[in-house]
């Protein structure tokens, strides 16, 4: 693995850990403290985590400084897709497979984290041109 790519991946993992922590903290808080349904709790947790993740990934991981509404729109659009996938997978794990909501959240998070990295790396914060891929600053 190229040195720059390895450093970027390590930074992504650190920010991803923080994002996941925020996601779980809000999910557990909404789910248990406010006694809300798991899909509602997951969606609220997603909002907090995605807001943090956008700014942290843009500035710390992929080191982009230029303001770009296109990047923000792409980021939130792609993450909305992963929210939908995450909610469907949570439903399957909890309702169909009868797994505990926290175990289900952990399983689904692994899939979501990998998907989000691929989307950020190759479709949002990239140096190539075309489609949903934007120019380097």
């Amino acid at each position: 693995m190229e040195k720059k790519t390895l450093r970027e991946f390590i930074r992504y993992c650190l920010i991803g850990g923080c994002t996941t922590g925020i996601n779980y903290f809000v999910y557990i808080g909404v789910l248990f403290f406010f006694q809300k349904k798991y899909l509602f709790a997951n969606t609220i947790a997603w909002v907090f985590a995605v807001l943090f993740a956008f700014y942290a990934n843009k500035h710390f991981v992929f080191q982009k400084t230029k303001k770009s509404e296109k990047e923000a729109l792409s980021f939130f659009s792609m993450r909305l897709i992963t929210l939908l996938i995450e909610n469907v997978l949570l439903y399957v794990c909890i309702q169909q497979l009868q797994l505990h909501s926290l175990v289900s959240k952990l399983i689904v998070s692994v899939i979501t984290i990998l998907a989000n990295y691929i989307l950020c790396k190759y479709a949002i914060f990239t140096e190539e041109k075309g489609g949903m891929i934007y120019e380097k600053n």
Side-chain angles (χ1 to χ4, degrees):
M1 182 179 278
E2 181 183 318
K3 197 172 193 177
K4 179 185 174 194
T5 303
L6 179 59
R7 282 194 311 266
E8 184 179 273
F9 183 73
I10 290 169
R11 286 192 306 262
Y12 182 81
C13 288
L14 291 171
I15 294 302
C18 293
T19 302
T20 300
I22 290 167
N23 190 302
Y24 275 81
F25 180 76
V26 174
Y27 178 76
I28 291 168
V30 172
L31 186 65
F32 294 109
F33 185 72
F34 295 110
Q35 300 294 312
K36 297 294 181 182
K37 299 282 185 186
Y38 66 92
L39 292 177
F40 176 80
N42 190 60
T43 302
I44 297 301
W46 175 87
V47 170
F48 282 90
V50 168
L51 288 172
F52 170 79
F54 175 73
Y55 291 103
N57 279 310
K58 179 179 176 79
H59 298 290
F60 182 70
V61 177
F62 301 105
Q63 300 179 339
K64 304 293 181 181
T65 56
K66 184 178 176 187
K67 287 188 176 183
S68 172
E69 289 78 24
K70 291 179 182 179
E71 279 181 349
L73 181 60
S74 291
F75 187 87
F76 290 105
S77 297
M78 297 270 188
R79 291 290 172 107
L80 184 59
I81 292 168
T82 60
L83 170 67
L84 297 174
I85 293 168
E86 188 172 339
N87 279 347
V88 167
L89 291 174
L90 277 175
Y91 174 81
V92 169
C93 288
I94 294 169
Q95 298 295 347
Q96 305 300 316
L97 301 176
Q98 300 294 306
L99 297 174
H100 189 275
S101 64
L102 294 179
V103 172
S104 298
K105 178 79 170 157
L106 181 63
I107 292 168
V108 170
S109 291
V110 171
I111 296 166
T112 304
I113 289 167
L114 292 172
N116 285 334
Y117 176 75
I118 292 166
L119 290 172
C120 281
K121 174 72 176 162
Y122 298 105
I124 300 170
F125 301 115
T126 185
E127 298 176 12
E128 298 176 21
K129 298 179 183 178
M132 291 190 73
I133 301 172
Y134 303 104
E135 293 182 47
K136 181 179 178 180
N137 295 332

